[in-house]
Amino acid sequence: MTRPPVHVPVLLDEVMTYLAVRPGGTYIDGTTGLGGHSEAIAGAMGPEGRLLCLDRDADALAIARERLRPFGDRITLVHADFSELPDIAAAAGFTGVDGILLDLGVSSLQLDEAERGFAFGLEGPLDMRMDRRQALTAAEIVNTWAEPEIADVLRTYGEVRQARRIAAAVVRARPVRTTWDLARAIEQAAGGVRGYQKTHPATQVFLALRVRVNGELDRLHAVLPRARSLLAPGTPRRGRLVVISFHSLEDRAVKEFFRRESSDCLCPPRTPLCVCGHHATLSLLTKKGVRPSGDEVASNPRSRSATLRAAERVA
Ligand SMILES: C[S@@+](CC[C@H](N)C(=O)[O-])C[C@H]1O[C@@H](n2cnc3c(N)ncnc32)[C@H](O)[C@@H]1O
């Protein structure tokens, strides 16, 4: 018998604290994955609550559907990108919601299945698509894109220091069919794995390709203002947005959005009188990013790079 993969939800207690789920409330989980956070939200919202669950990955959603079956029609699952949220939420009758969760990045299902091609620890085809309906794969980038374009992807999305050198090695190694072909090419370009005791040189390259294949940063930039507009606007209830990110580019985007939206003025420093007309729409619930405890990292190493930020809508 095959057992469904286990995904331990990251920062679960913190998510529940910041979402402050109330009985009878309405919630959206934009990144349902295997349904760990959704299950906790559904349990807390009680029989009158409603939860809309989205994921780009049909396989993940099928597992979440089984897990969430006990909650019946209080849960609506949709195979979709979270950047389409306003339309999907409207169609499902979700407006003025009490809370939205975005737990970004990849799930254990994606990382642990060799055929998905996300992990260089497992040999598999260079796929990396969260949504397998999409055309672009990592194989297409490494085998058909020009060297400078590949270098640009590595620099922009993985902050890879030897981007040009690694891109050149990847192009020389064509055809690059599997995750291991790619990892070998990277190791050679980076001078082997010695000296990289903490992080394998392929880590940032795989991250960059994954982020580019799935358009992760563009989608994150698109969803943040849309999610904010879906929240209950302050009176009588303040809807809450909770975001967990896993790398610095994601966290920077979330932090910058929260900073802007919680500011009453965006005029340049030392402008004597405010002329921008901006006003705060969010109030920060976390002044600094919340990180997992040592115990959580020890029991779930995948949580180690997680940062949670939360805010509530005030206007
Ligand atoms: C870290 S996992 C979520 C795990 C989940 N919170 C749980 O408890 O099982 C991230 C999930 O978000 C999904 N995802 C990432 N970007 C997405 C997007 N733009 N739209 C919808 N789902 C997305 C991935 O397919 C993946 O299943």
Side-chain angles (χ1 to χ4, degrees):
M1 196 177 85
T2 52
R3 277 185 303 139
V6 180
H7 179 94
V8 185
V10 167
L11 292 166
L12 179 60
D13 290 346
E14 293 80 356
V15 164
M16 296 309 283
T17 300
Y18 286 106
L19 272 182
V21 176
R22 65 175 186 91
T26 51
Y27 296 89
I28 298 176
D29 185 346
T31 50
T32 304
L34 305 182
H37 288 113
S38 283
E39 186 177 49
I41 296 168
M45 72 190 187
E48 304 300 323
R50 289 194 312 136
L51 172 63
L52 174 62
C53 292
L54 266 56
D55 204 290
R56 292 173 81 183
D57 187 328
D59 296 357
L61 216 54
I63 293 169
R65 189 181 300 280
E66 284 311 307
R67 183 172 190 169
L68 301 170
R69 200 173 287 285
F71 299 100
D73 61 7
R74 282 169 273 158
I75 298 205
T76 307
L77 292 111
V78 184
H79 180 207
D81 194 297
F82 56 49
S83 59
E84 299 164 38
L85 247 183
D87 292 345
I88 286 161
F94 283 71
T95 52
V97 300
D98 293 287
I100 299 179
L101 171 65
L102 300 173
D103 174 19
L104 303 169
V106 280
S107 70
S108 313
L109 178 71
Q110 292 158 340
L111 282 173
D112 295 345
E113 279 197 4
E115 67 161 71
R116 304 294 301 265
F118 282 97
F120 58 85
L122 301 168
E123 183 160 37
L126 272 173
D127 189 319
M128 300 197 192
R129 289 170 301 169
M130 289 180 180
D131 185 340
R132 287 194 269 188
R133 296 173 300 187
Q134 113 176 7
L136 181 66
T137 63
E140 181 174 334
I141 296 179
V142 300
N143 287 302
T144 69
W145 286 21
E147 194 181 304
E149 285 182 288
I150 297 177
D152 190 45
V153 168
L154 304 188
R155 220 177 285 117
T156 310
Y157 301 110
E159 298 176 312
V160 174
R161 266 182 286 138
Q162 304 186 61
R164 278 177 59 183
R165 188 173 160 154
I166 291 174
V170 167
V171 168
R172 270 198 310 277
R174 283 174 179 171
V176 186
R177 297 192 202 283
T178 72
T179 48
W180 284 5
D181 291 344
L182 179 59
R184 269 192 296 270
I186 297 164
E187 274 173 25
Q188 278 162 11
V193 285
R194 270 181 301 150
Y196 285 90
Q197 268 114 5
K198 269 187 160 168
T199 327
H200 189 284
T203 308
Q204 292 306 105
V205 175
F206 272 63
L207 172 68
L209 287 169
R210 190 202 93 197
V211 170
R212 178 59 187 86
V213 166
N214 295 292
E216 289 176 43
L217 284 178
D218 292 345
R219 290 177 154 92
L220 177 59
H221 283 291
V223 73
L224 291 171
R226 294 174 187 171
R228 187 264 325 274
S229 323
L230 275 171
L231 295 171
T235 326
R237 286 175 294 109
R238 295 178 168 194
R240 293 182 165 202
L241 175 59
V242 176
V243 188
I244 305 176
S245 55
F246 287 87
H247 56 86
S248 55
L249 292 176
E250 274 176 355
D251 187 49
R252 214 174 292 159
V254 177
K255 189 174 158 185
E256 176 54 20
F257 173 76
F258 278 7
R259 190 196 62 74
R260 246 186 101 79
E261 291 306 319
S262 60
S263 304
D264 266 322
C265 171
L266 297 175
C267 292
R270 289 189 290 280
T271 306
L273 207 59
C274 173
V275 287
C276 69
H278 186 85
H279 63 91
T281 60
L282 294 177
S283 166
L284 300 186
L285 298 167
T286 51
K287 299 290 174 224
K288 281 180 19 187
V290 176
R291 305 296 315 276
S293 66
D295 284 353
E296 177 167 3
V297 174
S299 64
N300 180 14
R302 281 183 188 160
S303 68
R304 69 182 174 278
S305 40
T307 303
L308 177 150
R309 295 186 189 272
E312 61 183 3
R313 186 165 170 195
V314 290

